[in-house]
Amino acid sequence: MVGVVVMNRLRLMRPPSTITSSLLLRNCHPCSTFPSPHLCGKRARRFSATTLCCSKSDGLLESSNISGGSSIVGDLLDYLNESWTQFHATAEAKRLLIAAGFHLLNENDEWDIKPGGRYFFTRNMSCLIAFAIGEKYNVGNGFHVIAAHTDSPCLKLKPKSASSKSGYLMVNVQTYGGGLWHTWFDRDLSVAGRVIVRTTDGSFMHKLVKVKRPLLRIPTLAIHLDRTVNKDGFKPNLETQLLPLLATNLEETSIESKGESPESTKASHHPLLMQVLSDELNCSIDDIMSIELNICDTQPSCLGGGNNEFIFSGRLDNLASSYCALRALVDSCELPGDLSSEQAIRMVALFDNEEVGSNSIQGAGAPTMFQAMRRIIDCLVHEYVGEGAFERAIRQSFLVSADMAHGVHPNFIDKHEELHRPEMQKGLVIKHNANQRYATSGVTAFLFKEVAKMHNLPTQEFVVRNDMGCGSTIGPILASGVGIRTVDCGISQLSMHSVREICGKEDVDIAYKHFKGFYQTFSSIDMKLKVDY
């Protein structure tokens, strides 16, 4: 076990491009799952083995050209391919942090933390807070935080999902978030999420499950039966026409007729689906007490485009930001001396339920992050007898709200304001909105751009047109929670909220370097600015 941990630490410290691209190019072989000219690479990964679709051309994961250094794109693809749900994304983040030497805390226990230490905890296994304390930290110094979210628009199983229509077994689903639901039709789908399982001693355990094979499909209606669809548009009824097909009904006997309680888990879901889950979990169907499952696209995340310059994947919004933030935190304090001169506390906060408003125990609307900040300060005050330690720390803190940005669409240029059209491969997009849909101010934008300038990184600006509605993020929620300075930013992408999204490979590395630079240099930049004096 010790050998495994040491090996993970060594692999984490190796340049990611060394780990990924050499293995890809060495192990690629023709794959019948994907049409030519694609290849499928079987790779030895830090995470559990997954399949990556890649091009025949060389230079798949070469070092970034932006400000030097190695690319993290290969590791991001690993993370995306493992993280089908918010639960899996949090579990993979946990695995990454433990491999990097972070210590797991429990919110129910007393904390024993010290300057120079690295720690994290999870909530609901869908929210995670990680932090590293500078060795020069003094009471009242601030937190430097990057916040993102782990959830994405998707379909979720209803509590009673079993349905039958015209000889088919169907699965009842509910829509989660503002998805482009027409993109879910004719995709190879499956299920993933978490299950509560009864153990042999009578206790109950939370387990993650992911059925990797195509299990479900939502078929579209043939053009011959809907002749006007191309003219009038495809407008499916989300209650009656968005049900995935599971199997043909081979005279299946209903659960109720076998004497099962109508309220039991088995009575609520198809026996065939329950059997699939029990096979994946290696447990009895009777021991599955509760399920919380998402419908997921089975196609792997991959590189694409003529020069492999794009990332094609589901859930880029917002797992791309989450991973860049995690890696930036880990890599900014992986060496013994990285925290020796740091006076602040570096933090990552990953929340669930952003896509539906953040109002949950694991969402940004809950006081999770601020409660953690107060506990950290309480642990570090020791003999301090002054006033307002927490409040002074918040005044000196800075939050980067990282969420994907709307890149200009080449076929719909008029949807963007003329002077604010974010492009791919041009750096992080700083989001502005006078009506506070984003929390960016002139001061916070300036400070964040100063970080980019110090590290020779590009940035872009975004403002929505006055005649269009503006989305929002967790930025304003957190900024107004206790009054923390905040900037909203994101990686430019297309197909936002589609089952399959796209962003630029180069932008991922720029975001990682920008976030890492933020952790390493923000203290020195912030002390030069005087506002309230």
Side-chain angles (χ1 to χ4, degrees):
M1 190 68 180
V2 173
V4 172
V5 174
V6 171
M7 182 59 71
N8 281 337
R9 291 290 304 276
L10 290 174
R11 294 189 66 200
L12 185 67
M13 294 175 68
R14 286 177 60 193
S17 60
T18 311
I19 298 171
T20 53
S21 60
S22 61
L23 287 169
L24 260 176
L25 297 176
R26 184 172 72 242
N27 294 329
C28 277
H29 64 281
C31 176
S32 59
T33 307
F34 300 99
S36 178
H38 289 86
L39 299 175
C40 170
K42 301 289 185 179
R43 300 164 54 195
R45 294 183 171 87
R46 177 182 318 121
F47 307 120
S48 58
T50 55
T51 300
L52 174 68
C53 184
C54 58
S55 167
K56 285 183 177 179
S57 63
D58 292 338
L60 290 174
L61 301 172
E62 68 274 9
S63 295
S64 170
N65 294 321
I66 299 296
S67 194
S70 298
S71 174
I72 68 163
V73 170
D75 292 330
L76 170 62
L77 292 174
D78 291 344
Y79 184 72
L80 291 166
N81 281 320
E82 290 299 322
S83 303
W84 281 17
T85 72
Q86 67 276 33
F87 306 117
H88 290 83
T90 305
E92 290 304 314
K94 175 182 176 181
R95 190 176 305 175
L96 170 65
L97 290 165
I98 289 175
F102 281 68
H103 299 283
L104 175 62
L105 302 173
N106 190 310
E107 285 190 281
N108 298 328
D109 299 335
E110 288 190 16
W111 291 356
D112 180 16
I113 61 177
K114 301 174 182 178
R118 296 170 295 170
Y119 311 91
F120 77 98
F121 66 88
T122 65
R123 178 181 286 189
N124 189 53
M125 194 46 73
S126 63
C127 168
L128 179 146
I129 307 290
F131 56 96
I133 306 171
E135 293 183 20
K136 295 290 182 65
Y137 180 81
N138 290 316
V139 175
N141 290 357
F143 293 80
H144 299 161
V145 190
I146 302 177
H149 63 89
T150 59
D151 62 318
S152 302
C154 65
L155 303 175
K156 292 179 178 284
L157 265 65
K158 290 183 177 179
K160 295 183 178 181
S161 71
S163 176
S164 298
K165 291 184 180 182
S166 302
Y168 294 99
L169 301 183
M170 313 295 288
V171 178
N172 285 321
V173 295
Q174 53 184 328
T175 57
Y176 175 84
L180 291 172
W181 304 121
H182 68 274
T183 66
W184 288 73
F185 283 74
D186 293 337
R187 302 291 302 187
D188 295 343
L189 306 174
S190 192
V191 294
R194 70 167 167 197
V195 178
I196 304 300
V197 177
R198 180 174 52 204
T199 63
T200 54
D201 64 1
S203 61
F204 303 100
M205 181 174 293
H206 163 284
K207 287 191 175 183
L208 300 186
V209 65
K210 181 199 299 181
V211 181
K212 295 183 179 180
R213 68 180 177 91
L215 188 68
L216 303 167
R217 196 172 179 95
I218 310 173
T220 49
L221 186 63
I223 186 69
H224 314 84
L225 303 178
D226 189 7
R227 291 287 188 183
T228 64
V229 65
N230 289 329
K231 177 169 64 76
D232 298 338
F234 182 47
K235 304 172 183 177
N237 183 290
L238 301 184
E239 175 63 24
T240 62
Q241 298 171 344
L242 195 61
L243 278 68
L245 185 154
L246 174 65
T248 51
N249 189 351
L250 300 177
E251 299 180 358
E252 179 184 65
T253 304
S254 70
I255 288 291
E256 287 82 2
S257 66
K258 295 181 180 179
E260 296 289 349
S261 166
E263 300 302 319
S264 72
T265 300
K266 292 184 293 181
S268 301
H269 307 284
H270 287 301
L272 177 58
L273 176 61
M274 298 301 294
Q275 185 62 56
V276 169
L277 294 176
S278 71
D279 291 343
E280 289 288 329
L281 294 164
N282 194 28
C283 72
S284 167
I285 293 178
D286 292 334
D287 290 330
I288 299 177
M289 311 307 296
S290 176
I291 64 175
E292 187 174 352
L293 300 179
N294 296 359
I295 305 297
C296 306
D297 186 15
T298 60
Q299 185 175 357
S301 305
C302 66
L303 297 181
N307 299 308
N308 285 305
E309 67 265 50
F310 301 128
I311 296 175
F312 298 156
S313 175
R315 307 174 303 283
L316 288 173
D317 177 18
N318 190 34
L319 293 186
S321 303
S322 297
Y323 186 75
C324 289
L326 277 168
R327 274 298 295 271
L329 176 64
V330 167
D331 293 352
S332 73
C333 56
E334 66 176 336
L335 299 178
D338 285 341
L339 295 173
S340 60
S341 61
E342 179 60 79
Q343 300 177 10
I345 298 173
R346 302 171 183 176
M347 178 178 281
V348 160
L350 306 181
F351 297 101
D352 193 4
N353 299 134
E354 187 274 347
E355 298 292 356
V356 292
S358 298
N359 292 320
S360 68
I361 188 175
Q362 59 272 357
T368 312
M369 186 178 82
F370 301 119
Q371 288 174 348
M373 289 176 168
R374 189 179 291 278
R375 292 187 68 175
I376 293 167
I377 293 173
D378 288 345
C379 289
L380 298 175
V381 292
H382 298 302
E383 310 302 324
Y384 178 78
V385 293
E387 176 270 335
F390 175 73
E391 289 76 14
R392 291 196 298 115
I394 292 297
R395 295 292 82 75
Q396 296 194 65
S397 297
F398 193 93
L399 171 73
V400 177
S401 168
D403 204 348
M404 302 297 278
H406 298 284
V408 61
H409 195 304
N411 297 330
F412 300 90
I413 296 176
D414 60 340
K415 294 295 183 180
H416 278 72
E417 196 272 333
E418 183 179 4
L419 300 178
H420 299 87
R421 292 173 174 166
E423 300 178 38
M424 288 190 191
Q425 323 291 16
K426 297 292 181 66
L428 280 174
V429 179
I430 298 175
K431 307 175 184 179
H432 302 262
N433 185 263
N435 297 303
Q436 295 301 298
R437 298 294 288 173
Y438 302 126
T440 306
S441 69
V443 169
T444 60
F446 164 75
L447 288 168
F448 198 57
K449 285 188 285 189
E450 283 297 296
V451 173
K453 187 183 300 182
M454 179 174 289
H455 295 274
N456 194 30
L457 297 169
T459 59
Q460 307 180 75
E461 312 275 356
F462 172 74
V463 176
V464 73
R465 288 172 56 114
N466 290 329
D467 55 359
M468 294 181 63
C470 182
S472 191
T473 69
I474 59 177
I477 296 172
L478 295 172
S480 60
V482 291
I484 185 171
R485 295 176 297 170
T486 302
V487 64
D488 269 297
C489 70
I491 298 170
S492 178
Q493 76 162 103
L494 298 175
S495 302
M496 186 178 286
H497 288 196
S498 169
V499 72
R500 197 77 176 166
E501 300 172 323
I502 174 176
C503 75
K505 180 177 70 174
E506 198 75 6
D507 283 329
V508 169
D509 287 323
I510 295 172
Y512 160 70
K513 290 178 173 64
H514 201 147
F515 293 162
K516 186 178 178 182
F518 166 72
Y519 285 130
Q520 293 174 328
T521 58
F522 185 79
S523 292
S524 62
I525 293 172
D526 192 31
M527 68 176 57
K528 297 177 183 178
L529 176 66
K530 305 295 181 184
V531 177
D532 296 305
Y533 60 93

